[in-house]
């Protein structure tokens, strides 16, 4: 198999190489693609088809890292652990996915297998990783690469890690070491505490399909001159991190569109999992939220807030945090159930459901007709 590592677009590479660590840590507001999911009868039919392939159900709580069309990604934060343990855990999870090699797979969003772009292993629908996509997935699982962000090619990964002072030239030494082996523009794989990981070791080792996972043939190419070696600095390896798990969910099973989710927002996601590994969100809850029901008194002209009056007569103003989609179909006088979160004295609406529409205004009375004067005929 030809060893290919790619840059999905120049925009992705430029972003990954030029952004500072602080800029990468500050996640932008989620962008919503134009291909929004379909709801109603089409979604009902899709649910019936998917239900026949479900093998497991579960619930997970995490933080939104990206929203794109009908898909959203959350990151769960595990217990505090050593960086090497977190890298091993991430490599185990990627291996367990048993994905094939896919040209460009794992580049759009670090840690997430994808269909890639035309090239080796691409067939329009199967998700997988290529070499740099798989390495970035492991780095992201240990907090050394921002989950959900774009991934450059192998050389771009090395350049970014060097710019952040996480690696230095040479093979790692000692009982605990992590080394990246990079043949610039061709291939990259890793040694994590003495075990090799990647889509292959450059010599064809690993999964016969070329998929990402642990390699067990001793990685003969690791000692060749074409591979540049870079080790994670001891100060990085002796640190601790919260092990991260990155999960992509399809949101078209939900009753409401997902374009009201925001990056950095915490969600509790109930899901159904297909045998193929696809995850479908079936219900969403907002940890720490509350729900109130009341009558809409007013809606700000710019959609930034609205006020409702509860049954007890209390008026509450809720912010939309820029999500004007929450107000679609809402009008003064409607009765609505509002789920909201609280930060200090600010109430922020997370979902709005109209339970009763405002009654139509009473018909205006017909204008009175002027009395007709009676005229007596002359004798």
């Amino acid at each position: 198999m030809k060893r290919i590592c790619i840059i999905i677009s120049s925009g992705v590479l430029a972003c990954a190489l030029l952004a500072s660590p602080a800029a990468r840590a500050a996640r932008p507001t989620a962008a919503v693609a134009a291909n929004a999911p379909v709801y109603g009868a089409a979604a009902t039919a899709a649910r019936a088809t998917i239900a026949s392939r479900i093998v497991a159900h579960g619930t997970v709580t995490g933080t939104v890292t990206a929203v794109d069309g009908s898909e959203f990604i959350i990151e769960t934060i595990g217990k505090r652990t050593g960086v090497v343990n977190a890298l091993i855990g991430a490599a185990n999870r990627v291996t367990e996915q048993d994905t094939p090699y896919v040209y460009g797979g794992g580049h759009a969003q670090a840690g997430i297998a994808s269909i890639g772009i035309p090239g080796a292993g691409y067939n329009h629908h199967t998700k997988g990783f290529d070499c740099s996509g798989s390495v970035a997935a492991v780095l992201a699982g240990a907090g050394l690469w921002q989950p959900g962000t774009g991934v450059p090619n192998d050389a771009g990964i090395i350049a970014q890690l060097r710019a952040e002072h996480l690696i230095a030239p040479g093979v790692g030494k000692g009982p605990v070491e992590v080394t990246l082996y990079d043949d610039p523009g061709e291939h990259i794989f890793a040694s994590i505490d003495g075990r090799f990981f990647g889509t292959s070791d450059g010599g064809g080792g690993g999964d016969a399909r070329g998929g990402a996972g642990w390699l067990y043939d001793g990685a003969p190419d690791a000692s060749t001159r074409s591979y540049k070696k870079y080790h994670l600095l001891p100060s990085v390896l002796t640190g601790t991190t919260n092990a991260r798990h990155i999960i992509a969910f399809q949101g078209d099973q939900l009753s409401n569109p997902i374009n009201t989710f925001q990056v950095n927002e915490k969600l509790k996601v109930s899901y159904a999992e297909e045998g193929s590994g696809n995850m479908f969100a079936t219900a969403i809850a907002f940890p720490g939220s509350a729900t109130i029901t009341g009558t809409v008194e007013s809606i700000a002209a710019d959609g930034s807030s609205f006020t409702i009056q509860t049954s007890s007569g209390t008026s509450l103003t809720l912010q939309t945090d820029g999500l004007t989609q929450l107000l679609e179909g809402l009008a003064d006088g409607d009765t609505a159930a509002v789920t909201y979160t609280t930060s200090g004295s600010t109430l922020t609406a997370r979902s709005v459901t109209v339970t009763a529409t405002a009654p139509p205004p009473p018909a205006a009375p017909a204008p009175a007709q002027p009395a007709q004067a009676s005229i007596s005929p002359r004798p």
Side-chain angles (χ1 to χ4, degrees), residues 35-49:
N35 56 330
V38 176
Y39 297 91
T44 301
R47 291 189 192 102
T49 301

Side-chain angles (χ1 to χ4, degrees), residues 12-378:
V12 170
L13 176 59
C15 176
L17 293 181
L18 300 179
S20 67
R24 286 174 58 225
R27 299 172 181 170
T29 301
V32 179
N35 56 330
V38 176
Y39 297 91
T44 301
R47 291 189 192 102
T49 301
I50 291 168
S52 65
R53 303 195 296 262
I54 297 303
V55 297
H57 293 82
T59 302
V60 64
T61 299
T63 302
V64 178
T65 64
V67 181
D68 186 7
S70 62
E71 182 179 78
F72 66 100
I73 296 171
I74 70 168
E75 173 189 9
T76 67
I77 304 297
K79 294 181 179 179
R80 198 75 182 170
T81 186
V83 168
V84 175
N85 285 338
L87 288 167
I88 292 172
N92 286 339
R93 288 192 295 272
V94 172
T95 301
E96 290 166 1
Q97 291 180 37
D98 193 28
T99 58
Y101 180 95
V102 174
Y103 183 86
H107 280 257
Q109 297 159 328
I112 301 297
S114 64
I115 62 173
I117 60 176
Y122 178 80
N123 63 4
H124 303 280
H125 61 86
T126 300
K127 295 181 179 181
F129 292 98
D130 67 7
C131 61
S132 42
S134 66
V135 169
V138 171
L139 294 172
L144 302 180
W145 194 276
Q146 184 69 17
T149 60
V151 177
N153 68 351
D154 60 304
I157 289 177
I158 296 299
Q160 182 65 43
L161 295 176
R162 295 195 72 176
E164 295 182 6
H165 306 291
L166 297 176
I167 60 173
V171 175
K173 297 179 174 62
V176 178
E177 61 85 22
V178 176
T179 301
L180 300 179
Y181 294 83
D182 179 41
D183 183 359
E186 286 293 323
H187 190 62
I188 188 170
F189 60 98
S191 170
I192 306 172
D193 205 15
R195 299 173 68 191
F196 289 95
F197 172 89
T199 53
S200 79
D201 59 18
D207 190 314
R209 299 178 304 159
W214 292 110
L215 309 170
Y216 297 101
D217 66 351
D221 276 23
S223 59
T224 61
R225 290 185 178 181
S226 59
Y227 280 87
K228 311 297 182 184
K229 291 84 172 173
Y230 301 89
H231 64 278
L232 285 178
L233 296 175
S235 58
V236 176
L237 294 179
T238 56
T240 59
T241 185
N242 288 103
R244 291 161 166 81
H245 191 187
I246 306 155
I247 312 169
F249 291 101
Q250 294 298 314
D252 46 12
Q253 298 296 296
L254 298 171
S255 58
N256 295 314
I258 67 172
N259 59 5
T260 56
F261 299 166
Q262 289 189 297
V263 168
N264 290 330
E265 180 173 47
K266 183 170 286 189
L267 299 179
K268 183 178 180 180
V269 183
S270 297
Y271 64 86
E273 182 177 0
E274 284 186 324
S276 64
N278 288 331
M279 310 282 276
F280 294 88
T282 56
I284 297 294
F286 300 88
S289 65
T291 300
I292 54 173
T293 300
T295 303
V296 178
E297 291 185 322
S298 63
I299 301 174
D302 60 0
S304 61
S305 66
F306 63 103
T307 301
I308 67 172
Q309 184 181 72
T310 65
S311 58
S312 65
T314 302
S315 292
L316 297 175
T317 297
L318 298 108
Q319 305 299 315
T320 62
D321 209 10
L323 300 174
T324 56
Q325 304 96 321
L326 292 169
L327 304 180
E328 291 178 1
L330 193 67
D332 290 353
D334 287 350
T335 301
V338 183
T339 298
Y340 66 94
T341 53
T342 304
S343 177
S345 60
T346 301
L347 308 182
T348 302
R350 302 264 58 102
S351 68
V352 179
T353 302
V354 176
T355 58
T357 56
Q369 297 296 321
Q372 296 293 322
S374 64
I375 303 175
S376 302
R378 292 183 180 180

